[in-house]
Amino acid sequence: MNSAQPQTQSAVAGIRDGMELGEFLRWGRDLHHQGRYEDAARAFELILGMDADNQEALIGRNRAVRRSVPRWHWEMLHDEERAELYDRAIRQAVASAPEALVLDIGAGSGLLAMMAARAGAREVVACEGQPSVAETAARVVRVAGYDDAVGVVSKMSTRMTVPGDLPRRAGLLVTEIVDCGLLGEGILGTIAHAREHLLAPDATIMPSRGRIIAQLIESEPLHRKNHVGKLYGFDLAPFNRLSTLEYFDSRLHRHEHRTLSEPMTVFEFDFYTADARPQRTELTVQPTAAGKMHAVAFWFEMELLPGIVVDNAPGHDSHWKQAIQCLPVPLHVQPDLPVSLVAAHDGECVRFEVESEEVVA
């Protein structure tokens, strides 16, 4: 039982007994300040159930939801290239096995699950671990008229069971739990768990493969997004202890930059066999130009089905953007001096290190 449920039940009774709404507004605000955003949203929803136009409750609920539902959902939904490629792959997979149970992990709005139902899938289970999103996805599916084929489960897939949450093992897995660096939303461990516990032995997995591609970059503007030095007569460099040690997302083409190497494949994953065990690889990179290396930019390619590939390479207006990892201190590079680059991932995050003693202050 949710820890806030007894409070919620007493709150409902209190509102029905005509108690002051101000007390429940304070309760919602307190939950929000405690970081209990889902509980706060429910508290404000109680008030809205009695007073649908209560502006403080409307704003309070929205603030709580905003804390737990990232803004990128809307940009993702407007990514037409991504949607069209997934739709084509889903149609192809469903046409090959229309009787297969479809499992959509990380369903979000329910878009991919509804695509499967529209393509002819008779039974789709959409799994979404974020309660507010799952509740809204169920509403979207119902309004679209696909609730006879699509069921929404508000649970992380790693907590799902057969037959508790799935009537049988699924024959088609559809997922898009990737960030700009591919691994950041846990796709390796999630699919590995699904293969063992939720999927039929001959299930189709979408995406089927993925690879991470990287490139050395010179870009003072990107470096400044994560580092600071002397400004306004003060040395602010100690603030760099708070800068990110890993990557952040950014649209490479929107920042002045030069490429200092050819793109190179760093990791490749077969989602039919890959797991989340850490990997490390050492690369020798031949710079293509002399310059000051500020960062490693990287992106992914995902093969949904053979011949259908989704990517977030530079130049594509993908909602995923590109992954940027800045060096702590820039490095001089030149074509006749190879750069030793170490790439590693811990199952969820890719990180690069440059093995060189020559740096630029």
Side-chain angles (χ1 to χ4, degrees):
M1 179 180 291
N2 187 286
S3 61
Q5 192 168 342
Q7 288 177 285
T8 300
Q9 292 170 343
S10 64
V12 172
I15 292 175
R16 287 174 178 168
D17 289 343
M19 295 175 65
E20 290 293 328
L21 291 183
E23 180 180 347
F24 298 103
L25 289 169
R26 286 191 294 274
W27 177 48
R29 289 195 297 269
D30 287 345
L31 290 170
H32 189 281
H33 292 154
Q34 294 169 27
R36 297 167 59 184
Y37 302 120
E38 287 290 339
D39 292 340
R42 293 189 189 98
F44 289 119
E45 284 169 359
L46 287 173
I47 298 169
L48 292 170
M50 301 295 168
D51 180 6
D53 296 323
N54 188 294
Q55 289 300 303
E56 189 169 353
L58 285 167
I59 295 299
R61 179 190 178 279
N62 188 256
R63 286 177 179 171
V65 168
R66 290 276 54 76
R67 288 286 191 168
S68 52
V69 182
R71 289 292 310 166
W72 52 253
H73 278 87
W74 284 263
E75 189 173 3
M76 177 183 67
L77 291 171
H78 286 283
D79 189 335
E80 293 184 9
E81 181 181 20
R82 159 256 186 198
E84 289 171 0
L85 289 169
Y86 260 94
D87 191 35
R88 192 196 329 163
I90 288 170
R91 287 177 183 274
Q92 183 175 320
V94 171
S96 298
E99 299 293 339
L101 171 64
V102 179
L103 173 60
D104 175 9
I105 293 181
S109 67
L111 177 63
L112 302 186
M114 291 188 297
M115 285 180 174
R118 183 174 64 186
R122 294 168 176 77
E123 195 170 5
V124 184
V125 174
C127 162
E128 172 54 54
Q130 213 288 332
S132 293
V133 176
E135 179 185 349
T136 304
R139 187 176 306 173
V140 169
V141 168
R142 184 172 61 254
V143 170
Y146 285 106
D147 51 329
D148 58 336
V150 179
V152 179
V153 175
S154 181
K155 185 182 288 187
M156 298 292 289
S157 68
T158 50
R159 300 183 64 185
M160 293 178 71
T161 61
V162 177
D165 301 296
L166 286 172
R168 61 190 181 280
R169 286 179 173 256
L172 170 60
L173 170 65
V174 178
T175 190
E176 194 195 42
I177 48 171
V178 298
D179 70 342
C180 62
L182 184 64
L183 307 185
E185 292 189 14
I187 190 171
L188 290 178
T190 298
I191 292 182
H193 175 273
R195 289 198 312 264
E196 183 176 357
H197 299 283
L198 306 176
L199 302 182
D202 60 348
T204 297
I205 296 174
M206 184 185 307
S208 59
R209 303 183 64 85
R211 69 179 182 131
I212 294 173
I213 303 161
Q215 191 170 33
L216 309 187
I217 298 293
E218 177 182 88
S219 178
E220 184 68 35
L222 282 174
H223 193 72
R224 291 173 65 171
K225 288 174 73 75
N226 200 47
H227 294 87
V228 68
K230 293 182 179 180
L231 286 174
Y232 321 116
F234 301 99
D235 184 4
L236 303 179
F239 198 75
N240 291 332
R241 67 185 296 271
L242 303 178
S243 64
T244 178
L245 297 176
E246 297 176 315
Y247 60 87
F248 54 88
D249 66 340
S250 195
R251 298 193 190 282
L252 188 58
H253 72 271
R254 293 188 179 177
H255 299 84
E256 183 179 351
H257 72 280
R258 287 199 309 138
T259 59
L260 300 177
S261 74
E262 295 294 335
M264 56 197 150
T265 298
V266 178
F267 291 113
E268 294 188 81
F269 306 98
D270 180 344
F271 293 124
Y272 283 89
T273 58
D275 57 35
R277 284 177 293 186
Q279 288 182 284
R280 184 179 185 275
T281 186
E282 297 181 8
L283 304 165
T284 300
V285 185
Q286 195 71 41
T288 54
K292 187 186 294 187
M293 177 185 168
H294 291 101
V296 177
F298 60 105
W299 56 93
F300 65 79
E301 290 181 355
M302 286 195 307
E303 182 182 78
L304 304 182
L305 293 177
I308 304 178
V309 177
V310 174
D311 70 77
N312 64 330
H316 284 204
D317 197 21
S318 164
H319 79 277
W320 281 296
K321 309 175 187 178
Q322 289 78 50
I324 308 294
Q325 184 188 319
C326 290
L327 271 62
V329 182
L331 171 73
H332 270 312
V333 301
Q334 54 189 46
D336 59 341
L337 288 177
V339 174
S340 295
L341 188 68
V342 176
H345 75 76
D346 59 4
E348 293 188 356
C349 187
V350 178
R351 188 175 177 193
F352 295 89
E353 292 182 6
V354 176
E355 294 186 340
S356 175
E357 296 181 357
E358 184 180 359
V359 297
V360 180

